[in-house]
Amino acid sequence: MVNGAGEGCAQLSAVADAVLYEGYLLYPYRRSSAKNRVRWQFGVLLPRNWVERDGPVTPGISGSADSWYQRTECLLRMRRGDAAVRVRVRYLQLQHKQVEAADADGGHRPVESLRTADGITQLSFEEAVPRETELVFTLEELLRGGRTAAVGAPAGAEYEPLPAGAGRTVRRRREVRAETTVVAEPLAPELYRLRVRTENCAEAPDPQAPRGAVLGQALLATHTLLAGDGVEFVSLIDPPAGLAELVRGCRNAFTFPVLGGRPPESDSEDGATGSLLLSAPIILPDHPQVAPESPGDLHDAAEIDEILTLRTMLLTDEEKAEARATDPRAARIVDRVDTMPQEVFARLHGTIRSLTPVQAPAPGRPAWWQEGGDEGLSPTTDTVLVGGVPVGGGSRVRLRPRGRGADAQDMFLDGRTAQVSAIFHDVDGSVHLAVTVDDDPAAELHGWYGRFHYFRPDEVEPLEVTDAPGQVRPPRPQSPRPARPADRPEKGRSDAHA
């Protein structure tokens, strides 16, 4: 996808690859691991008659729910008359790897595992093949009703003999039928709304079949890369003020678009635009990047590379052998960890991207690194002034995440009401309010486990002041919850600010 932003495209492609294989295979990377028996969780587009067997799907922003379509909507500005839009649709096609042992009569029979004469164990497993289709349309074409193109993948099978005539490995793929429609509509001079819709066009032979029976017809980890010639895309997270209302009119389903490439050297005073866009089933910030310290994908971007690397190093020889036999990508992870140079591993310990001035401790209080630095702090009873109003545990607030620099997922909570559970003081001197959202069905459970959303005092508005500061309001209606382990007290725990 060449459009004059080669470095930015390379960076965005690395992020897109991480999205493509997120959750593909998780530590300990073995077939026998329970977590690797429930796979394919993001951007899964299945046949419509299977998805809607019990009724229409409910559109959502993230793509962790099964659907039969994905819709991306964004704004773009035209910068010259011959403007064109480039759309790259990417996904995984399921491939079943079946190990077959040779019979005495010259035939083959399927087996779960087979150890060959060279001492290597072969395992049957579900693999995946990356697919992508690039579409290029002029803006003029898209304004005349749009264009539709096939983005599916054919069925296929490959046979690979095993050493010494022990058997063979058969890899089979079912046909994936899909199409993408791209349409543009004018909103103002040189301003357009772009819509990209990808659909699974297949029909499941049995709509009541279990999920695993129809995954072979699905698009897995579906996402879209967009670029252009003579166009620029408008951020949906940080749009120019004059376009904010039009951005709110964009309707994205089972995916969310963010700007790609390198972030600008300096912040614009009036929103963000860019030449690249990634629409992914996992909510990301604008300009997402893979950390340069990471030597390779571990298929679990929510985890810390250093921890996963250490754990993989400590697998037994038998466990590593099973991981290598499970999948070629797992084999590469194990080999990379086993041969990782010390200087590469040391970089995984962390880095400093930016520095801010250290805030002086409050008068009479030692700095956080000194003995007694946290004495007197009580997250559940401390308060903080917000607009002259003391806010603490039990207070109700309206969430107003700051427009610029806010976490991408916090933006979707703008205007929602929440209850404050605790006030946390960070080591850099900042203060955060731990809250649970009022209409979250799992709010009470989140409070029980200490899983909160965190906002700064200037990102909330007090709703009422009838309760004394720190006085906890009556709990929400109870929901079923597991017993808390006796040796793991949760009171006052903060996962975000340790």
Side-chain angles (χ1 to χ4, degrees), residues 265-349:
E265 295 295 330
S266 59
D267 290 338
S268 166
E269 293 298 324
D270 190 26
T273 60
S275 60
L276 300 168
L277 203 74
L278 168 62
S279 187
I282 301 171
I283 297 175
L284 300 168
D286 278 339
H287 308 290
Q289 298 181 61
V290 174
E293 294 79 15
S294 179
D297 197 353
L298 295 168
H299 307 324
D300 191 354
E303 189 52 274
I304 300 171
D305 276 22
E306 183 182 34
I307 292 176
L308 281 181
T309 299
L310 284 169
R311 288 181 173 178
T312 304
M313 285 179 176
L314 294 175
L315 291 175
T316 65
D317 290 342
E318 292 76 12
E319 289 173 322
K320 290 180 179 179
E322 183 186 346
R324 289 187 173 98
T326 294
D327 188 271
R329 298 187 72 86
R332 288 197 289 272
I333 290 174
V334 173
D335 291 343
R336 184 173 70 241
V337 166
D338 278 351
T339 60
M340 184 177 293
Q342 180 60 36
E343 62 271 17
V344 175
F345 178 74
R347 290 200 295 269
L348 298 181
H349 191 61

Coordinates of all heavy atoms in Angstrom, one line a residue, residues 265-349:
E265 N 4.6 15.5 15.1 CA 5.7 16.0 15.9 C 5.2 16.9 17.0 O 5.7 16.9 18.1 CB 6.8 16.7 15.1 CG 7.5 15.8 14.1 CD 8.3 14.7 14.8 OE1 8.8 15.0 16.0 OE2 8.5 13.6 14.3
S266 N 4.1 17.7 16.7 CA 3.5 18.6 17.6 C 2.0 18.5 17.5 O 1.5 18.2 16.4 CB 4.0 20.0 17.4 OG 3.7 20.5 16.1
D267 N 1.3 18.7 18.6 CA -0.1 18.7 18.6 C -0.7 19.8 17.8 O -0.3 20.9 17.9 CB -0.7 18.7 20.0 CG -0.4 17.4 20.8 OD1 -0.2 16.4 20.1 OD2 -0.4 17.5 22.0
S268 N -1.7 19.4 17.0 CA -2.5 20.5 16.2 C -3.4 21.2 17.2 O -3.9 20.5 18.1 CB -3.2 19.8 15.1 OG -4.2 20.7 14.6
E269 N -3.7 22.4 16.9 CA -4.6 23.1 17.8 C -6.1 22.8 17.4 O -7.0 23.1 18.2 CB -4.4 24.6 17.6 CG -3.1 25.1 18.2 CD -2.9 24.9 19.7 OE1 -3.9 25.0 20.4 OE2 -1.8 24.6 20.1
D270 N -6.3 22.1 16.3 CA -7.7 21.9 15.9 C -7.8 20.5 15.4 O -8.2 20.2 14.2 CB -8.1 22.9 14.8 CG -9.6 22.9 14.5 OD1 -10.3 22.4 15.4 OD2 -10.0 23.2 13.4
G271 N -7.6 19.5 16.2 CA -7.9 18.1 15.9 C -6.8 17.5 15.1 O -5.8 18.0 14.7
A272 N -7.1 16.2 14.8 CA -6.1 15.4 14.1 C -6.6 14.8 12.8 O -7.8 14.4 12.7 CB -5.7 14.2 15.0
T273 N -5.7 14.8 11.8 CA -6.0 14.1 10.5 C -4.8 13.4 10.1 O -3.7 13.6 10.7 CB -6.3 15.2 9.5 OG1 -5.2 16.1 9.3 CG2 -7.6 16.0 9.8
G274 N -4.9 12.5 9.2 CA -3.8 11.7 8.7 C -4.0 11.0 7.4 O -5.2 10.9 6.9
S275 N -3.0 10.4 6.8 CA -3.1 9.8 5.5 C -3.4 8.3 5.6 O -3.5 7.6 4.6 CB -1.8 10.0 4.7 OG -0.7 9.5 5.4
L276 N -3.4 7.7 6.8 CA -3.6 6.3 7.0 C -4.6 6.0 8.1 O -4.8 6.8 9.0 CB -2.3 5.6 7.4 CG -1.1 5.7 6.5 CD1 0.2 5.2 7.1 CD2 -1.4 4.9 5.2
L277 N -5.4 4.9 7.9 CA -6.4 4.6 8.9 C -6.4 3.0 9.0 O -6.3 2.3 8.1 CB -7.8 5.0 8.3 CG -8.9 5.2 9.4 CD1 -8.6 6.5 10.2 CD2 -10.2 5.3 8.7
L278 N -6.5 2.6 10.3 CA -6.7 1.2 10.6 C -8.0 1.0 11.3 O -8.3 1.6 12.4 CB -5.6 0.7 11.5 CG -5.8 -0.7 12.1 CD1 -5.9 -1.8 11.1 CD2 -4.6 -1.0 13.1
S279 N -8.9 0.2 10.7 CA -10.2 -0.1 11.3 C -10.1 -1.6 11.8 O -10.1 -2.5 11.1 CB -11.3 0.0 10.3 OG -12.6 -0.1 11.0
A280 N -10.1 -1.7 13.2 CA -9.8 -3.0 13.8 C -10.9 -3.4 14.8 O -11.6 -2.6 15.3 CB -8.5 -3.0 14.5
P281 N -11.1 -4.7 15.0 CA -12.1 -5.2 15.9 C -11.7 -5.0 17.4 O -12.4 -5.3 18.3 CB -12.2 -6.7 15.6 CG -10.9 -7.1 15.0 CD -10.4 -5.8 14.3
I282 N -10.5 -4.5 17.6 CA -9.9 -4.2 18.9 C -9.8 -2.7 19.0 O -9.1 -2.1 18.2 CB -8.6 -4.9 19.2 CG1 -8.8 -6.4 19.1 CG2 -8.0 -4.6 20.6 CD1 -7.5 -7.2 19.1
I283 N -10.3 -2.1 20.1 CA -10.3 -0.6 20.2 C -8.8 -0.2 20.5 O -8.2 -0.6 21.5 CB -11.2 -0.1 21.2 CG1 -12.7 -0.4 20.8 CG2 -11.1 1.4 21.4 CD1 -13.7 -0.1 21.9
L284 N -8.3 0.7 19.6 CA -7.0 1.2 19.8 C -7.0 2.7 19.8 O -8.0 3.4 19.5 CB -6.1 0.7 18.6 CG -6.0 -0.8 18.3 CD1 -5.4 -1.0 17.0 CD2 -5.1 -1.4 19.4
P285 N -5.9 3.4 20.2 CA -5.8 4.8 20.1 C -5.3 5.2 18.7 O -4.9 4.4 17.9 CB -4.7 5.1 21.2 CG -3.8 3.9 21.1 CD -4.7 2.8 20.9
D286 N -5.4 6.5 18.4 CA -4.8 7.0 17.2 C -3.3 6.7 17.2 O -2.7 6.8 18.3 CB -5.0 8.5 17.1 CG -6.4 8.8 16.5 OD1 -7.0 7.9 15.8 OD2 -6.9 9.9 16.7
H287 N -2.8 6.5 16.0 CA -1.3 6.2 15.9 C -0.8 5.1 16.8 O 0.2 5.3 17.5 CB -0.5 7.5 16.1 CG -1.0 8.7 15.3 ND1 -0.9 8.8 14.0 CD2 -1.7 9.8 15.7 CE1 -1.4 9.9 13.5 NE2 -1.9 10.5 14.6
P288 N -1.4 3.9 16.8 CA -0.9 2.8 17.6 C 0.4 2.4 17.0 O 0.7 2.4 15.8 CB -2.0 1.7 17.4 CG -2.6 2.0 16.1 CD -2.6 3.5 16.0
Q289 N 1.3 1.9 17.9 CA 2.6 1.4 17.5 C 3.0 0.2 18.3 O 2.6 0.0 19.4 CB 3.7 2.5 17.7 CG 3.5 3.8 16.9 CD 4.6 4.8 17.2 OE1 5.8 4.5 16.9 NE2 4.2 5.9 17.7
V290 N 3.8 -0.7 17.6 CA 4.4 -1.8 18.3 C 5.7 -1.3 18.9 O 6.5 -0.6 18.3 CB 4.7 -3.0 17.3 CG1 5.5 -4.1 18.1 CG2 3.4 -3.5 16.8
A291 N 5.9 -1.6 20.2 CA 7.1 -1.1 20.9 C 8.4 -1.6 20.2 O 8.5 -2.8 19.9 CB 7.1 -1.6 22.4
P292 N 9.3 -0.7 19.9 CA 10.5 -1.1 19.2 C 11.3 -2.1 20.0 O 12.2 -2.8 19.4 CB 11.3 0.2 19.0 CG 10.7 1.2 20.0 CD 9.3 0.8 20.2
E293 N 11.1 -2.2 21.3 CA 11.9 -3.1 22.1 C 11.4 -4.6 21.9 O 12.1 -5.5 22.3 CB 11.8 -2.8 23.6 CG 12.4 -1.5 24.0 CD 11.6 -0.2 23.7 OE1 10.4 -0.4 23.4 OE2 12.1 0.9 23.7
S294 N 10.2 -4.7 21.4 CA 9.6 -6.1 21.3 C 10.3 -6.8 20.1 O 10.2 -6.3 19.0 CB 8.1 -6.0 21.1 OG 7.6 -7.3 20.9
P295 N 10.9 -8.0 20.3 CA 11.6 -8.6 19.2 C 10.7 -9.5 18.4 O 11.1 -10.0 17.3 CB 12.6 -9.5 20.0 CG 12.0 -9.8 21.3 CD 11.2 -8.6 21.6
G296 N 9.4 -9.7 18.7 CA 8.5 -10.5 17.9 C 7.2 -10.6 18.6 O 7.0 -10.4 19.8
D297 N 6.2 -11.1 17.8 CA 4.8 -11.2 18.3 C 4.7 -12.4 19.2 O 5.2 -13.5 19.0 CB 3.9 -11.4 17.1 CG 2.4 -11.1 17.5 OD1 2.2 -10.9 18.7 OD2 1.6 -11.0 16.6
L298 N 4.0 -12.2 20.4 CA 3.7 -13.3 21.3 C 2.2 -13.6 21.3 O 1.7 -14.4 22.1 CB 4.2 -12.9 22.7 CG 5.7 -12.7 22.9 CD1 6.0 -12.1 24.2 CD2 6.4 -14.1 22.8
H299 N 1.4 -12.9 20.4 CA 0.0 -13.2 20.2 C -0.8 -12.8 21.5 O -1.9 -13.3 21.6 CB -0.3 -14.6 19.8 CG 0.6 -15.1 18.6 ND1 0.9 -14.2 17.6 CD2 1.1 -16.2 18.3 CE1 1.6 -14.9 16.7 NE2 1.8 -16.1 17.1
D300 N -0.3 -12.0 22.3 CA -1.0 -11.6 23.5 C -0.6 -10.2 23.9 O 0.2 -9.9 24.8 CB -0.8 -12.5 24.7 CG -1.7 -12.3 25.9 OD1 -2.5 -11.3 25.8 OD2 -1.7 -13.1 26.8
A301 N -1.2 -9.2 23.2 CA -0.7 -7.8 23.3 C -1.2 -7.2 24.7 O -0.7 -6.1 25.1 CB -1.3 -6.9 22.2
A302 N -2.1 -7.8 25.4 CA -2.5 -7.3 26.7 C -1.5 -7.7 27.8 O -1.7 -7.3 28.9 CB -3.9 -7.8 27.0
E303 N -0.6 -8.6 27.5 CA 0.4 -9.1 28.4 C 1.7 -8.4 28.2 O 1.9 -7.7 27.2 CB 0.5 -10.6 28.3 CG 1.3 -11.3 29.4 CD 0.9 -10.9 30.8 OE1 1.3 -9.9 31.3 OE2 0.1 -11.7 31.4
I304 N 2.6 -8.5 29.2 CA 3.9 -7.8 29.2 C 4.9 -8.8 28.5 O 5.0 -9.9 29.0 CB 4.3 -7.4 30.6 CG1 3.3 -6.5 31.2 CG2 5.7 -6.8 30.6 CD1 3.6 -6.2 32.7
D305 N 5.6 -8.3 27.6 CA 6.6 -9.1 26.8 C 7.6 -9.8 27.8 O 7.9 -11.0 27.6 CB 7.3 -8.3 25.8 CG 6.5 -8.2 24.5 OD1 5.3 -8.3 24.5 OD2 7.2 -7.9 23.4
E306 N 8.1 -9.1 28.7 CA 9.1 -9.6 29.6 C 8.5 -10.8 30.4 O 9.2 -11.8 30.5 CB 9.6 -8.6 30.6 CG 10.7 -9.0 31.5 CD 11.1 -8.0 32.5 OE1 10.3 -7.2 32.9 OE2 12.3 -7.9 32.8
I307 N 7.3 -10.7 30.9 CA 6.7 -11.8 31.7 C 6.5 -13.0 30.8 O 6.8 -14.1 31.2 CB 5.4 -11.3 32.3 CG1 5.7 -10.2 33.4 CG2 4.6 -12.5 32.9 CD1 4.4 -9.7 34.0
L308 N 5.9 -12.8 29.6 CA 5.7 -13.9 28.7 C 7.0 -14.6 28.3 O 7.1 -15.8 28.2 CB 4.9 -13.5 27.5 CG 3.4 -13.3 27.7 CD1 2.8 -12.8 26.3 CD2 2.7 -14.5 28.2
T309 N 8.0 -13.8 28.1 CA 9.3 -14.4 27.7 C 9.9 -15.2 28.8 O 10.4 -16.3 28.6 CB 10.3 -13.2 27.3 OG1 9.7 -12.5 26.2 CG2 11.6 -13.8 26.9
L310 N 9.8 -14.7 30.0 CA 10.4 -15.4 31.2 C 9.6 -16.7 31.4 O 10.2 -17.8 31.6 CB 10.3 -14.6 32.4 CG 11.3 -13.5 32.6 CD1 11.0 -12.6 33.8 CD2 12.7 -14.1 32.8
R311 N 8.3 -16.7 31.3 CA 7.5 -17.9 31.4 C 7.8 -18.9 30.4 O 7.8 -20.1 30.6 CB 6.0 -17.5 31.5 CG 5.6 -16.8 32.7 CD 4.1 -16.5 32.7 NE 3.7 -15.9 34.0 CZ 2.4 -15.5 34.2 NH1 1.5 -15.7 33.3 NH2 2.1 -15.1 35.4
T312 N 7.9 -18.4 29.1 CA 8.2 -19.4 28.0 C 9.6 -20.0 28.2 O 9.8 -21.2 27.9 CB 8.1 -18.6 26.7 OG1 6.9 -18.0 26.6 CG2 8.3 -19.6 25.5
M313 N 10.6 -19.2 28.7 CA 11.9 -19.7 29.0 C 11.8 -20.9 30.0 O 12.6 -21.8 29.9 CB 12.8 -18.6 29.6 CG 13.3 -17.6 28.6 SD 14.3 -16.4 29.4 CE 14.9 -15.4 28.0
L314 N 10.9 -20.8 30.9 CA 10.8 -21.8 32.0 C 10.0 -23.0 31.7 O 9.8 -23.9 32.6 CB 10.3 -21.1 33.3 CG 11.2 -20.0 33.9 CD1 10.5 -19.3 35.1 CD2 12.5 -20.6 34.3
L315 N 9.4 -23.1 30.5 CA 8.7 -24.3 30.1 C 9.7 -25.5 30.1 O 10.9 -25.3 29.8 CB 8.1 -24.1 28.7 CG 7.0 -23.1 28.5 CD1 6.6 -23.0 27.1 CD2 5.8 -23.6 29.4
T316 N 9.2 -26.6 30.5 CA 10.1 -27.8 30.4 C 10.4 -28.2 29.0 O 9.7 -27.7 28.0 CB 9.4 -29.0 31.1 OG1 8.2 -29.4 30.4 CG2 9.0 -28.6 32.6
D317 N 11.4 -29.1 28.8 CA 11.7 -29.5 27.5 C 10.5 -30.2 26.8 O 10.3 -30.1 25.6 CB 12.9 -30.5 27.5 CG 14.2 -29.7 27.9 OD1 14.2 -28.5 27.7 OD2 15.2 -30.4 28.3
E318 N 9.7 -31.0 27.6 CA 8.6 -31.7 27.0 C 7.5 -30.7 26.6 O 6.9 -30.8 25.6 CB 8.0 -32.6 28.1 CG 8.9 -33.8 28.4 CD 10.0 -33.5 29.3 OE1 10.1 -32.3 29.9 OE2 11.0 -34.3 29.4
E319 N 7.3 -29.6 27.4 CA 6.3 -28.6 27.1 C 6.7 -27.8 25.8 O 5.9 -27.5 25.0 CB 6.1 -27.6 28.2 CG 5.4 -28.3 29.4 CD 5.4 -27.3 30.6 OE1 6.4 -26.6 30.9 OE2 4.3 -27.3 31.3
K320 N 8.0 -27.5 25.7 CA 8.5 -26.8 24.5 C 8.4 -27.7 23.3 O 8.0 -27.2 22.2 CB 10.0 -26.4 24.7 CG 10.1 -25.3 25.7 CD 11.6 -24.9 25.9 CE 11.8 -23.7 26.9 NZ 13.2 -23.3 27.1
A321 N 8.6 -29.0 23.4 CA 8.5 -29.9 22.3 C 7.0 -29.9 21.8 O 6.7 -29.9 20.6 CB 8.9 -31.3 22.7
E322 N 6.1 -29.9 22.8 CA 4.6 -29.9 22.4 C 4.3 -28.6 21.7 O 3.5 -28.6 20.7 CB 3.8 -30.2 23.6 CG 2.3 -30.2 23.2 CD 1.3 -30.3 24.4 OE1 1.8 -30.6 25.5 OE2 0.1 -30.1 24.2
A323 N 4.8 -27.5 22.2 CA 4.5 -26.2 21.6 C 5.0 -26.2 20.2 O 4.3 -25.7 19.3 CB 5.1 -25.1 22.4
R324 N 6.2 -26.7 20.0 CA 6.8 -26.7 18.6 C 6.0 -27.5 17.7 O 5.8 -27.2 16.5 CB 8.2 -27.2 18.6 CG 9.2 -26.2 19.3 CD 10.7 -26.7 19.1 NE 11.6 -25.7 19.5 CZ 12.2 -25.7 20.7 NH1 11.9 -26.7 21.6 NH2 13.1 -24.8 21.1
A325 N 5.4 -28.7 18.2 CA 4.6 -29.6 17.4 C 3.2 -29.0 17.1 O 2.6 -29.4 16.2 CB 4.5 -30.9 18.0
T326 N 2.8 -28.1 18.0 CA 1.4 -27.6 17.8 C 1.2 -26.7 16.6 O 0.3 -26.9 15.8 CB 1.1 -26.7 19.1 OG1 1.0 -27.6 20.2 CG2 -0.3 -26.1 19.0
D327 N 2.2 -25.8 16.4 CA 2.0 -24.8 15.3 C 3.3 -24.2 15.0 O 4.1 -23.9 15.8 CB 1.0 -23.7 15.7 CG 0.6 -22.8 14.6 OD1 1.3 -21.8 14.4 OD2 -0.4 -23.1 14.0
P328 N 3.6 -23.9 13.7 CA 4.9 -23.3 13.3 C 5.1 -21.9 14.0 O 6.2 -21.6 14.3 CB 4.8 -23.1 11.8 CG 3.8 -24.2 11.4 CD 2.8 -24.3 12.5
R329 N 4.0 -21.1 14.2 CA 4.2 -19.9 14.9 C 4.6 -20.1 16.3 O 5.4 -19.3 16.9 CB 3.0 -19.0 14.8 CG 2.6 -18.7 13.3 CD 1.4 -17.7 13.3 NE 1.8 -16.4 13.7 CZ 2.3 -15.5 12.9 NH1 2.5 -15.8 11.6 NH2 2.6 -14.3 13.3
A330 N 4.1 -21.1 17.0 CA 4.5 -21.4 18.3 C 6.0 -21.8 18.4 O 6.7 -21.5 19.3 CB 3.6 -22.5 18.9
A331 N 6.3 -22.6 17.4 CA 7.7 -23.1 17.3 C 8.7 -21.9 17.2 O 9.8 -21.9 17.8 CB 7.9 -24.0 16.1
R332 N 8.3 -20.9 16.4 CA 9.2 -19.7 16.2 C 9.3 -18.9 17.5 O 10.3 -18.4 17.8 CB 8.6 -18.8 15.1 CG 8.9 -19.5 13.7 CD 8.7 -18.4 12.6 NE 7.3 -18.0 12.4 CZ 6.4 -18.6 11.6 NH1 6.8 -19.7 10.9 NH2 5.2 -18.1 11.5
I333 N 8.2 -18.8 18.3 CA 8.2 -18.1 19.5 C 9.2 -18.8 20.5 O 10.1 -18.2 21.1 CB 6.8 -18.0 20.2 CG1 6.0 -17.1 19.4 CG2 6.9 -17.6 21.6 CD1 4.5 -17.0 19.8
V334 N 9.1 -20.2 20.6 CA 9.9 -20.9 21.5 C 11.4 -20.8 21.1 O 12.3 -20.6 21.9 CB 9.5 -22.4 21.6 CG1 10.5 -23.2 22.4 CG2 8.1 -22.5 22.2
D335 N 11.7 -20.9 19.8 CA 13.0 -20.8 19.3 C 13.6 -19.4 19.6 O 14.8 -19.3 19.9 CB 13.1 -21.1 17.8 CG 12.8 -22.6 17.5 OD1 12.9 -23.4 18.5 OD2 12.5 -22.9 16.4
R336 N 12.8 -18.4 19.4 CA 13.2 -17.0 19.6 C 13.6 -16.8 21.0 O 14.6 -16.2 21.3 CB 12.2 -16.0 19.1 CG 12.6 -14.6 19.2 CD 11.6 -13.6 18.6 NE 10.4 -13.5 19.4 CZ 9.2 -13.8 18.9 NH1 9.0 -14.3 17.7 NH2 8.1 -13.7 19.7
V337 N 12.8 -17.3 21.9 CA 13.0 -17.1 23.4 C 14.3 -17.9 23.8 O 15.1 -17.4 24.5 CB 11.8 -17.6 24.2 CG1 12.1 -17.7 25.6 CG2 10.6 -16.6 24.0
D338 N 14.4 -19.1 23.3 CA 15.6 -19.9 23.6 C 16.9 -19.3 23.2 O 18.0 -19.6 23.8 CB 15.4 -21.3 23.1 CG 14.5 -22.2 23.9 OD1 14.2 -21.8 25.1 OD2 14.2 -23.3 23.5
T339 N 16.9 -18.6 22.1 CA 18.1 -18.0 21.6 C 18.2 -16.5 21.7 O 19.1 -15.9 21.1 CB 18.2 -18.4 20.1 OG1 17.1 -17.8 19.4 CG2 18.2 -19.9 19.8
M340 N 17.4 -15.9 22.6 CA 17.4 -14.5 22.7 C 18.7 -14.0 23.4 O 19.0 -14.4 24.5 CB 16.2 -14.0 23.5 CG 16.0 -12.5 23.7 SD 14.5 -12.1 24.6 CE 13.2 -12.6 23.4
P341 N 19.4 -13.0 22.8 CA 20.6 -12.5 23.4 C 20.2 -11.7 24.6 O 19.1 -11.1 24.8 CB 21.1 -11.5 22.3 CG 20.5 -12.0 21.0 CD 19.2 -12.5 21.4
Q342 N 21.2 -11.6 25.6 CA 20.9 -11.0 26.9 C 20.6 -9.5 26.7 O 19.7 -9.0 27.4 CB 22.1 -11.1 27.8 CG 22.0 -10.5 29.1 CD 20.8 -11.1 29.9 OE1 20.5 -12.2 29.8 NE2 20.1 -10.2 30.7
E343 N 21.2 -8.9 25.7 CA 21.0 -7.4 25.5 C 19.6 -7.2 25.0 O 18.9 -6.1 25.3 CB 22.0 -6.8 24.6 CG 22.1 -7.3 23.2 CD 23.0 -8.5 23.1 OE1 23.4 -9.1 24.1 OE2 23.4 -8.9 21.9
V344 N 19.0 -8.1 24.2 CA 17.6 -8.0 23.7 C 16.7 -8.2 24.9 O 15.7 -7.5 25.0 CB 17.4 -9.0 22.6 CG1 15.9 -8.9 22.2 CG2 18.3 -8.7 21.4
F345 N 16.9 -9.2 25.7 CA 16.1 -9.5 26.8 C 16.1 -8.3 27.8 O 15.0 -7.9 28.3 CB 16.5 -10.8 27.5 CG 15.7 -11.1 28.7 CD1 14.4 -11.6 28.6 CD2 16.2 -10.9 30.0 CE1 13.6 -11.8 29.7 CE2 15.4 -11.1 31.1 CZ 14.1 -11.6 31.0
A346 N 17.2 -7.7 28.0 CA 17.3 -6.6 28.9 C 16.4 -5.4 28.5 O 15.9 -4.7 29.4 CB 18.8 -6.1 29.1
R347 N 16.3 -5.2 27.2 CA 15.4 -4.1 26.7 C 14.0 -4.3 27.1 O 13.2 -3.3 27.1 CB 15.6 -3.9 25.2 CG 17.0 -3.4 24.8 CD 16.9 -2.8 23.4 NE 16.6 -3.7 22.4 CZ 17.6 -4.4 21.7 NH1 18.9 -4.2 22.0 NH2 17.2 -5.3 20.8
L348 N 13.6 -5.6 27.3 CA 12.2 -5.8 27.6 C 11.8 -5.4 29.0 O 10.6 -5.3 29.4 CB 11.9 -7.4 27.5 CG 12.1 -8.0 26.1 CD1 11.7 -9.5 26.2 CD2 11.2 -7.3 25.1
H349 N 12.8 -5.0 29.8 CA 12.5 -4.6 31.2 C 11.7 -3.3 31.3 O 11.1 -3.0 32.3 CB 13.8 -4.6 32.0 CG 13.5 -4.5 33.5 ND1 12.8 -5.4 34.2 CD2 13.9 -3.5 34.4 CE1 12.8 -5.1 35.5 NE2 13.4 -3.9 35.6

